Structure formats: structure tokens, C-alpha cells
Amino acid sequence: MKKQLLTVGDSFTYGDELDDVYQAWPYKLAEKLGYEVHNIGQSGCGNASILRRTLEELSNNHYDLLVVGWSNPGRIEWKDDIGIPYDIWPGYPSNTKFFKDHPWRVELLNYISQHHNSAYLYQQYLIQVISLQSYCKANSINYRMIDIKHNNYYRKVGAEMHDKLSAQVDTDHFVGWGKFGMSELAEEFPVAPGGHPLAQGHEKIANEIYIRL
């Protein structure tokens, strides 16, 4: 039986804008390792969602390796009385079908867009990273992490303020910490109209994770 790989993240992990989602880095990484992959990357997924979904999956199934592609710190998970969690973020376009079908959510979006605290959102991201790495270590789970993008607005605003939290990130298990994320790795190759990596970019991401295992 093949060893099992779990990958979790947002659209960069799911494989948005690829002709074939099986060209995404989780599948390329699994091929290099000779593992079987369970990819639960989800378009538009925020970090609270990533943490929650990872813990849910790990509590029910065994994996030989976990790789997490963290999303933009500005994405916020919410759940209203419908009971289905969703992610929104400052500046999310309110003219989409998502809001037309649920018009009351525009109020929340407008509040978040106008009154969010960027340093706080970066702090929450760090807490999520540290929480998951602590869970993995406590349960002897082999893991690696990588950011969607290193040079993001939230890090620029919050990094210095939360340097003591940043120091708790295990950089041996975090690919590119302080240097690059998936966006920076893929930028030397053509990207899709929506900014997502194409096959060459996903290959580069898979390679960078692979050589750090």
C-alpha cells in the first residue's frame, strides 16, 4: 500500500485555472514521492478554514505526510444561520452571485473592508501556523508548510509588531519562510489570467517542497 499524502490550501493548492487540476503541485509532489495524495485544496479558502479542515481530516485519517499551503491572511471564515462556512476578505467584490444569493452578507463584507485591522489579521495567521505545527509535533505527524505569497500586504504591516510570534514558527518545516511563497516561486513562468500558476509554476512549487523533505 502506498504512503498517504494530505495537502490542504486554497486555489493554488486546488489547481485553479489549470487545464487539468491533476497538474497542480500536490499531484506532482505525490508523483515524486511515490505517494497517494488526498488533496483538499479549495478555491477561496482562508487560513482559519485551512486549519479547521486539516484538523478534521487528521482526526479521522492517518497520513504519512501533511503539506499545507497557507492562504492570504486577510481571508476570514464566517458562518451565518444557514450553517455553511464561507470565506470573505477586505475588498471582495460584492457584485458576485455569492452576494446576490445572500444579500445580507454584504453588510459584513462592507464592515470588514472598511474596518479590518491588517496587523491583527497577520497575528491570527501566525497563531494558526503555530497551532497547527504544535498539533503535528504533539501527534508525531510529518509535515511541511508554505505560504501562498511571502510579500503580502499583511506581513508588511504586521511582521515587526508580531516578531515574537514569528520567532515561534519552525522554519525547518516551513518552506521558504522569510524568503518566498508559491507566488514568488511561480513568477518566473507564465501565469493564468487570474494570477494562478500554470503547469511549470506548479512543477517548481512541487520541487521546492520535495527538496526540503
Side-chain angles (χ1 to χ4, degrees):
M1 181 177 177
K2 286 187 175 181
K3 290 186 176 182
Q4 300 295 303
L5 166 65
L6 174 65
T7 54
V8 194
D10 61 8
S11 56
F12 273 53
T13 301
Y14 172 75
D16 271 27
E17 296 191 275
L18 286 169
D19 292 333
D20 181 356
V21 294
Y22 293 103
Q23 294 178 325
W25 67 260
Y27 304 97
K28 293 176 179 290
L29 177 61
E31 184 178 1
K32 295 176 188 297
L33 292 168
Y35 285 17
E36 184 175 309
V37 63
H38 181 43
N39 181 20
I40 58 172
Q42 179 177 300
S43 299
C45 195
N47 291 326
S49 303
I50 289 170
L51 176 60
R52 174 180 56 79
R53 296 170 72 239
T54 303
L55 293 176
E56 289 172 351
E57 186 63 33
L58 292 176
S59 67
N60 292 317
N61 299 289
H62 167 76
Y63 292 92
D64 299 283
L65 175 63
L66 162 70
V67 182
V68 177
W70 292 107
S71 187
N72 190 307
R75 289 180 172 172
I76 302 167
E77 183 179 61
W78 194 256
K79 184 187 284 191
D80 49 31
D81 52 6
I82 292 177
I84 300 174
Y86 62 93
D87 288 276
I88 57 175
W89 50 89
Y92 194 120
S94 60
N95 60 350
T96 62
K97 187 176 185 297
F98 175 79
F99 287 105
K100 290 178 181 178
D101 291 346
H102 311 94
W104 62 91
R105 293 175 177 171
V106 175
E107 294 180 39
L108 176 62
L109 171 63
N110 288 340
Y111 178 83
I112 289 171
S113 294
Q114 295 175 40
H115 303 293
H116 67 278
N117 183 304
S118 300
Y120 169 77
L121 293 174
Y122 184 69
Q123 179 190 46
Q124 293 305 297
Y125 152 78
L126 290 173
I127 290 170
Q128 290 150 359
V129 170
I130 295 165
S131 296
L132 186 53
Q133 77 177 22
S134 298
Y135 178 90
C136 289
K137 290 179 180 181
N139 291 278
S140 301
I141 297 169
N142 187 18
Y143 75 96
R144 294 295 185 276
M145 299 176 177
I146 188 170
D147 271 328
I148 184 176
K149 186 172 184 173
H150 171 67
N151 292 316
N152 68 72
Y153 167 73
Y154 299 91
R155 176 176 278 108
K156 292 176 182 177
V157 172
E160 184 174 348
M161 185 181 299
H162 301 299
D163 57 344
K164 291 182 179 179
L165 269 180
S166 297
Q168 297 182 47
V169 175
D170 184 348
T171 58
D172 290 337
H173 289 76
F174 204 114
V175 178
W177 179 260
K179 298 177 181 177
F180 58 81
M182 290 184 277
S183 291
E184 286 86 3
L185 288 173
E187 67 185 5
E188 64 181 281
F189 304 107
V191 298
H196 295 95
L198 296 175
Q200 287 178 298
H202 280 276
E203 182 70 32
K204 180 68 177 292
I205 294 166
N207 283 335
E208 289 293 331
I209 297 170
Y210 178 73
I211 63 177
R212 286 167 172 81
L213 290 173

